[in-house]
Amino acid sequence: MEMVKTEWDKVKVRLRDEVGDAAYRSWLRPITFHGVNGGDIKLALPTRFMRDWVATHYAERIRTLWGAENPGVRTVEIVVGATRATAAPAPIPAQSAPSPVATQPAPVKAVAAKPAVCAPAAVVNGSAEADELGAQLDPRFTFKNFVVGKPNEFAYAAANRVADADTVSFNPLFLYGGVGLGKTHLMHAIAHHIRERNPGRTVLYLSAEKFMYRFIRALRHQDTMSFKEQFRSVDVLMIDDVQFIAGKDATQEEFFHTFNALVDQGRQIVISADKSPSDLEGIEERLRSRMACGLVADIHATTYELRLGILQSKAEQMGVIVPQKVMEFLAHKITSNVRELEGGLNRVVAHSQLVGRAITLESTQEVLQDLLRSSDRRITIEEIQKKVAEHFTIKLSEMSSARRSRQVARPRQIAMYLAKQLTSRSLPEIGRKFGGRDHTTVMHAVKKVEELKDSDQNFAEDVELLRRMLQG
């Protein structure tokens, strides 16, 4: 028996060298020696989920390596059994995603290891529990309430196809476009339609930020197995604003394996971002490649006709009569995104109802003077990044890179400061545009630039020059 255990120790060393520390800690270190009967070796893992994964991906290699140490070894059998308390798996596997777990806890041998066929037990249902794990769906965001025009007709058709399909026709569906153009509306509409059409299907919608926070919590509580089973057992996974995980290597690793697991099982994935997969900075190449392998549908900036249609639809939903000239004026003036367009209409209607005045062109201009003024010359974060990069002769990509040298970090801080001063974007939104950085990083940058402006006259002049150049 002692000789066999010594052989197992040697096999573990070889495995660690082959697969690397991350995969070894996740899947192989928890294995314990369970027994031997002649040339038949028995190893144990604490859960069926881990047993099936190891049996599928490593059992044959274990048998081969053990056979090199002892030619008398014929089979290696993986069973579910108790393991040492210290054998808790580490959070981030380095291999591709696991197959679904098997239904019966029967042992699996290396000579006959097969992928399992059923989903894990921790499956959320199609309504309340799924919403608890993910995010609540907005009841207003349905296909019926989505106004279709030339800029969004392709994305709308693709979303409809996914919602209506019983089988996966393209995976993933990747929707991208600027802020407030309808990506989230379409994702909610897909989820609503699937749940209405087939209540038995498990639909999970959440932001990439929430995915990351749930992953971090699983790491903190050493409960990554439950996390994996929850996310890899759904029928439809929908991740909004995937650009948020840029620069978050551990979260990207886990999302990559979750992505692979669901695709391998024939489950549908829907993703949204502010850029196409190939243009997402701070995202690993393999993940960008995976996201681009399905159907990529872009949503363009709205046209005048589409904006007018959106305003008319919104007025009908609100049950109010808005003069045509007012709607035409708003459609001409508010061109940035649909959210601001609808927000402008909401303000005009609310003002009319609260003060008891009819909606006129004059009252609209008065109520929305701040919004209309900012719409006349709207500066984007991308413009700021480009102008600052040109001014300091650094690459535009450095604005999102992880480099911290002063030559790069200082211009990046100035760009963050100007984004805070010249745009209406929130601190988290600004951080996401700079490689997925945290809002506290933006706060620090703003504070640092203000301090340097007070203490360094040349620096203050540089910042003021950039501001004037951007404001034109």
Side-chain angles (χ1 to χ4, degrees):
M1 179 70 73
E2 289 302 319
M3 183 179 296
V4 176
K5 288 184 176 180
T6 300
E7 293 169 358
W8 172 228
D9 289 338
K10 292 180 179 178
V11 170
K12 286 192 290 184
V13 171
R14 292 282 303 278
L15 285 170
R16 186 169 195 149
D17 290 341
E18 288 186 11
V19 305
D21 287 342
Y24 179 82
R25 290 195 308 270
S26 299
W27 305 108
L28 302 175
R29 189 171 68 182
I31 300 174
T32 56
F33 181 77
H34 207 66
V36 59
N37 182 13
D40 299 323
I41 304 293
K42 187 175 289 188
L43 303 175
L45 278 163
T47 68
R48 286 181 293 181
F49 182 77
M50 294 183 71
R51 187 278 313 273
D52 289 324
W53 169 250
V54 171
T56 302
H57 295 86
Y58 295 115
E60 179 58 34
R61 185 57 184 160
I62 292 172
R63 189 196 68 77
T64 301
L65 292 175
W66 212 319
E69 295 292 334
N70 181 354
V73 172
R74 295 190 302 272
T75 63
V76 173
E77 187 177 24
I78 313 289
V79 300
V80 177
T83 63
R84 297 186 301 273
T86 57
I92 308 168
Q95 306 298 315
S96 57
S99 301
V101 301
T103 312
Q104 301 298 327
V108 181
K109 295 184 180 181
V111 294
K114 293 181 180 180
V117 293
C118 295
V123 178
V124 293
N125 61 41
S127 53
E129 196 175 343
D131 287 336
E132 183 180 344
L133 177 64
Q136 291 287 345
L137 297 176
D138 191 322
R140 299 170 302 166
F141 291 170
T142 63
F143 284 126
K144 181 181 179 181
N145 292 337
F146 190 85
V147 180
V148 184
K150 197 167 186 61
N152 60 27
E153 61 184 1
F154 179 59
Y156 175 81
N160 257 294
R161 173 70 66 85
V162 166
D164 277 329
D166 292 318
T167 58
V168 178
S169 50
F170 31 75
N171 217 5
L173 170 61
F174 190 101
L175 303 172
Y176 78 93
V179 175
L181 295 182
K183 303 184 299 294
T184 298
H185 188 143
L186 283 178
M187 294 186 80
H188 283 225
I190 292 171
H192 280 307
H193 191 82
I194 292 175
R195 287 182 177 180
E196 291 170 5
R197 188 169 173 271
N198 189 348
R201 292 185 75 187
T202 307
V203 182
L204 177 57
Y205 165 84
L206 74 166
S207 67
E209 181 179 14
K210 191 166 186 178
F211 179 90
M212 183 188 75
Y213 289 145
R214 288 195 169 276
F215 178 54
I216 291 172
R217 188 170 68 181
L219 297 183
R220 185 179 299 124
H221 295 288
Q222 297 185 347
D223 193 25
T224 54
M225 288 300 105
S226 295
F227 175 89
K228 295 175 192 295
E229 290 180 7
Q230 283 179 326
F231 279 90
R232 299 178 189 188
S233 61
V234 299
D235 295 309
V236 183
L237 176 64
M238 312 179 78
I239 302 291
D240 206 354
D241 289 327
V242 76
Q243 73 273 3
F244 180 83
I245 63 174
K248 313 290 195 307
D249 294 343
T251 303
Q252 288 186 40
E253 178 88 9
E254 181 57 35
F255 181 61
F256 178 75
H257 296 307
T258 299
F259 187 111
N260 285 338
L262 291 172
V263 170
D264 289 345
Q265 297 173 51
R267 311 291 175 86
Q268 180 69 57
I269 300 173
V270 183
I271 301 171
S272 82
D274 59 352
K275 298 177 182 176
S276 68
S278 60
D279 292 330
L280 287 174
E281 297 177 352
I283 301 290
E284 292 181 4
E285 173 60 32
R286 62 174 182 170
L287 183 54
R288 282 190 284 133
S289 176
R290 267 309 220 165
M291 291 191 292
C293 70
L295 179 63
V296 177
D298 59 336
I299 303 178
H300 300 288
T302 56
T303 60
Y304 167 75
E305 290 78 15
L306 179 56
R307 292 193 295 275
L308 190 57
I310 291 169
L311 289 169
Q312 290 169 342
S313 174
K314 182 73 175 177
E316 287 177 12
Q317 292 173 37
M318 297 169 71
V320 297
I321 298 175
V322 180
Q324 184 68 15
K325 284 187 176 181
V326 170
M327 287 198 285
E328 290 174 356
F329 174 77
L330 292 175
H332 271 300
K333 283 291 186 179
I334 306 177
T335 60
S336 55
N337 63 65
V338 175
R339 282 187 202 141
E340 289 196 356
L341 185 67
E342 293 184 341
L345 180 62
N346 286 338
R347 285 171 60 181
V348 169
V349 172
H351 178 269
S352 169
Q353 293 173 341
L354 290 172
V355 303
R357 287 172 54 189
I359 298 174
T360 64
L361 197 55
E362 292 72 22
S363 66
T364 298
Q365 290 173 311
E366 179 185 336
V367 171
L368 300 181
Q369 56 182 320
D370 59 328
L371 181 59
L372 297 173
R373 190 165 52 245
S374 65
S375 294
D376 286 339
R377 173 68 180 98
R378 182 168 299 277
I379 301 169
T380 67
I381 294 177
E382 288 80 2
E383 286 177 318
I384 294 170
Q385 290 175 330
K386 184 177 180 182
K387 184 64 70 176
V388 173
E390 288 174 354
H391 183 77
F392 289 99
T393 62
I394 64 172
K395 293 181 179 178
L396 181 59
S397 59
E398 297 289 13
M399 290 292 167
S400 304
S401 75
R403 288 185 60 195
R404 296 185 179 181
S405 64
R406 178 174 293 188
Q407 180 186 1
V408 171
R410 191 68 77 227
R412 187 189 298 136
Q413 289 177 329
I414 292 172
M416 289 181 183
Y417 169 81
L418 291 170
K420 177 68 174 67
Q421 299 298 316
L422 302 179
T423 76
S424 59
R425 300 292 174 233
S426 66
L427 294 177
E429 285 178 316
I430 293 171
R432 285 197 286 271
K433 293 290 188 179
F434 286 83
R437 285 174 164 81
D438 191 78
H439 72 281
T440 56
T441 304
V442 182
M443 290 172 61
H444 171 74
V446 171
K447 183 179 179 182
K448 185 67 176 177
V449 170
E450 287 174 344
E451 291 174 352
L452 288 170
K453 282 177 65 183
D454 292 338
S455 61
D456 186 336
Q457 184 62 32
N458 290 332
F459 180 86
E461 289 175 359
D462 253 356
V463 174
E464 186 57 31
L465 174 62
L466 282 164
R467 181 201 292 272
R468 288 201 301 268
M469 290 167 63
L470 285 161
Q471 290 181 321

